[in-house]
Amino acid sequence: MKKILGVSALTLVAACLIGPKFIANEYQSKLTDFIDNINSEAGYNAKIESTESSWFGSTSKVLVEIDTTTIAPTLQGKKLSAEFELDTQFGPLLFAPQGVIGLFSTDVKLKGDEQRHYLNWSAETPLYTLSLISNLFGDLQFADYIPAFSNKAQTLSVSEYSGHGKLANDKLIYNGGFKAATASEQTTTTLQNVTLNLDLDADWATIRSEGFYNGNMGLNIEQITTVPQGEFDKLAVTLKTKLDDSTQLGSMQIGYAIKKIDVDGFQANDLNLVTELNNLDNQVFLDYGQLIKESVSLTPNQQFAFLQQHLDTLLAGKPEFNIVEFSGETKDGKFTANLASHLADIKNPSIAEMNDPRFWLYNAIVNANVKMDQTLLHSAVQHYVAKKMYAPLNSPEVKQQSDILIDSLVQQGIIKLENNNYSTQFHAEKGQGKIYDLAFPLM
């Protein structure tokens, strides 16, 4: 028994002493691959400036440069640079806040000496830090941090940002946020409690490819206030993407929500807009992603040539554009609307044909529904009529003309009144429109 324990102890000690050397080689290979991936992106250049290695760790400096043309075409010939310091400890025995056993742990720092020319933040504190640890299976846990900062003109201030996440089993999860940010140039705008959430079923290569994958992303802002008076409460922007493995067709859904808005006397609650694009050919987006990597700035001719080359493939899946929900409530009542649209069967259209609005009027198949409270429609029409008549909103003439206009729409069958709600239904196909039983040409 003592012999077995002795062998086990010796094996453990050997692993702790010899293991770091093997892990160091694997780590350096991954770091080189990471640098190569950065350099494969058009407009980016990265290099390892120096590396100091020891048996149990290494320290490297990495310089990353960005061609400003990738940010704005008008900034040609300029470059932004940042030098990152990587302090790494090799496992299997680690003493890191995120774990004791693993392949390696790395602390990344951007001191930000160049950025101090136009930003203020705490002295002796790096502008950005990232701590990550790899377990024995190669899964990563990480946490990043940006200190509170302001610009030299004191027109922008942002509180500290922190985030944490995990990349494991081809899945990325990340949550981060900051408490407040204020900008005060022409007007003063303040954001409160901003959070970012990612839940992506994709590895890093898939995310960089520009293709589709299953994922959810969300940006939430508890409150935005502006001076002069304006307030937005509980804003949320969501992006959901999906990829059908069998058909290789992707879809994306973008949602916007505001719990409350109060701006210049206008008030509304529970505003929601959810749109979606369906049946998008994944290979087209992968090819476009490769084109982006090969060019700092795509010219209109390049974009035109790419679209012409992939047009048939893109249309073969019969892409859809839908407004899943458009709804809200004002002091005058509630409204809700939705729209579903897709293209009919099309044989080899040219770009010139698609640039003609009549192409879309003839080939788009559209169904839309709108419903709103009776009081809301009357209020909206009165605002419209008052503006056209240059008359006070509450004048008898405005109310009379508004009632006449609404009655006319009801008599023509354009809108219907039922249970104190007005509603309408619209259908378009082959250049013909139809509102309930009322048909009319669109072209």
Side-chain angles (χ1 to χ4, degrees):
M1 184 66 179
K2 291 182 179 180
K3 184 176 181 180
I4 295 175
L5 291 175
V7 171
S8 299
L10 182 63
T11 302
L12 179 60
V13 171
C16 292
L17 292 177
I18 301 175
K21 188 61 177 177
F22 293 98
I23 294 172
N25 294 332
E26 180 67 19
Y27 170 83
Q28 195 63 34
S29 176
K30 288 184 178 296
L31 179 59
T32 301
D33 290 342
F34 180 71
I35 298 297
D36 291 340
N37 286 333
I38 295 177
N39 290 327
S40 69
E41 302 284 348
Y44 289 80
N45 182 58
K47 63 179 180 180
I48 301 175
E49 291 188 306
S50 65
T51 298
E52 296 180 5
S53 300
S54 65
W55 190 270
F56 293 100
S58 70
T59 301
S60 301
K61 290 185 178 181
V62 175
L63 180 66
V64 179
E65 294 181 328
I66 304 174
D67 187 335
T68 54
T69 307
T70 60
I71 302 173
T74 57
L75 300 176
Q76 293 184 1
K78 297 183 179 181
K79 289 187 176 181
L80 299 176
S81 63
E83 185 181 69
F84 295 88
E85 295 183 3
L86 284 68
D87 187 9
T88 301
Q89 178 189 354
F90 302 131
L93 186 60
L94 302 171
F95 297 96
Q98 294 162 299
V100 178
I101 302 296
L103 296 178
F104 65 86
S105 66
T106 298
D107 291 328
V108 181
K109 295 180 181 179
L110 171 62
K111 288 186 175 180
D113 293 337
E114 289 292 324
Q115 288 72 24
R116 286 194 183 275
H117 292 304
Y118 49 88
L119 293 178
N120 297 317
W121 70 91
S122 177
E124 307 302 324
T125 302
L127 178 58
Y128 177 76
T129 57
L130 168 67
S131 299
L132 58 88
I133 185 171
S134 170
N135 66 16
L136 296 177
F137 303 100
D139 299 334
L140 294 175
Q141 293 188 50
F142 54 92
D144 59 348
Y145 175 80
I146 300 173
F149 65 87
S150 62
N151 63 350
K152 293 294 184 180
Q154 296 297 314
T155 58
L156 173 68
S157 64
V158 182
S159 65
E160 63 180 18
Y161 174 94
S162 63
H164 58 90
K166 183 177 182 179
L167 179 59
N169 300 319
D170 294 337
K171 186 179 183 66
L172 172 63
I173 297 176
Y174 179 80
N175 298 283
F178 60 92
K179 289 185 177 181
T182 300
S184 54
E185 290 189 357
Q186 296 180 349
T187 61
T188 299
T189 302
T190 300
L191 284 68
Q192 299 284 347
N193 294 326
V194 180
T195 59
L196 172 66
N197 311 105
L198 305 177
D199 188 347
L200 313 178
D201 290 334
D203 57 18
W204 189 243
T206 302
I207 294 171
R208 292 176 57 248
S209 70
E210 303 292 334
F212 284 91
Y213 48 83
N214 297 329
N216 295 298
M217 289 154 272
L219 175 65
N220 296 277
I221 305 174
E222 184 173 315
Q223 188 177 74
I224 298 178
T225 56
T226 61
V227 178
Q229 183 181 4
E231 183 177 312
F232 303 82
D233 291 344
K234 291 183 171 50
L235 288 79
V237 180
T238 58
L239 172 61
K240 298 180 180 180
T241 60
K242 291 183 179 180
L243 176 64
D244 188 314
D245 292 331
S246 60
T247 64
Q248 283 299 294
L249 294 178
S251 64
M252 66 174 67
Q253 183 183 94
I254 304 176
Y256 305 90
I258 303 177
K259 184 65 177 178
K260 178 182 177 182
I261 179 173
D262 187 349
V263 178
D264 293 333
F266 173 76
Q267 296 180 349
N269 298 309
D270 298 321
L271 295 175
N272 292 282
L273 174 62
V274 181
T275 64
E276 63 180 15
L277 287 166
N278 296 327
N279 302 334
L280 302 174
D281 188 274
N282 188 46
Q283 189 59 50
V284 173
F285 284 82
L286 291 173
D287 292 345
Y288 187 72
Q290 186 61 38
L291 182 63
I292 292 175
K293 292 179 182 179
E294 297 170 354
S295 176
V296 175
S297 180
L298 292 179
T299 66
N301 287 337
Q302 287 176 303
Q303 294 175 340
F304 179 86
F306 178 87
L307 182 59
Q308 183 70 65
Q309 180 183 356
H310 294 81
L311 187 58
D312 289 343
T313 303
L314 190 61
L315 295 178
K318 293 186 178 180
E320 298 178 356
F321 170 72
N322 302 320
I323 299 177
V324 180
E325 179 184 3
F326 179 42
S327 62
E329 180 180 3
T330 73
K331 61 183 179 62
D332 297 311
K334 298 179 180 180
F335 70 92
T336 182
N338 59 69
L339 179 145
S341 66
H342 66 275
L343 292 177
D345 292 329
I346 306 171
K347 302 297 182 182
N348 303 319
S350 66
I351 296 295
E353 289 177 310
M354 297 183 69
N355 281 333
D356 188 339
R358 292 174 297 180
F359 171 89
W360 301 99
L361 290 175
Y362 186 83
N363 291 291
I365 300 175
V366 181
N367 289 287
N369 297 276
V370 180
K371 180 182 290 186
M372 68 175 60
D373 288 346
Q374 183 179 12
T375 52
L376 178 57
L377 180 61
H378 277 269
S379 177
V381 172
Q382 285 177 13
H383 278 83
Y384 170 79
V385 171
K387 185 176 181 180
K388 291 295 183 180
M389 294 178 62
Y390 298 98
L393 179 62
N394 296 324
S395 65
E397 295 83 359
V398 167
K399 184 179 185 309
Q400 182 183 31
Q401 291 300 317
S402 299
D403 291 342
I404 291 174
L405 177 56
I406 293 175
D407 289 342
S408 175
L409 295 174
V410 172
Q411 291 173 9
Q412 295 177 60
I414 296 176
I415 61 176
K416 292 183 178 181
L417 176 62
E418 184 177 2
N419 297 327
N420 295 322
N421 288 309
Y422 284 108
S423 62
T424 188
Q425 295 178 357
F426 172 77
H427 175 78
E429 189 171 358
K430 295 182 178 179
Q432 295 292 313
K434 191 175 183 181
I435 298 178
Y436 288 121
D437 296 325
L438 178 64
F440 51 92
L442 297 174
M443 302 169 58

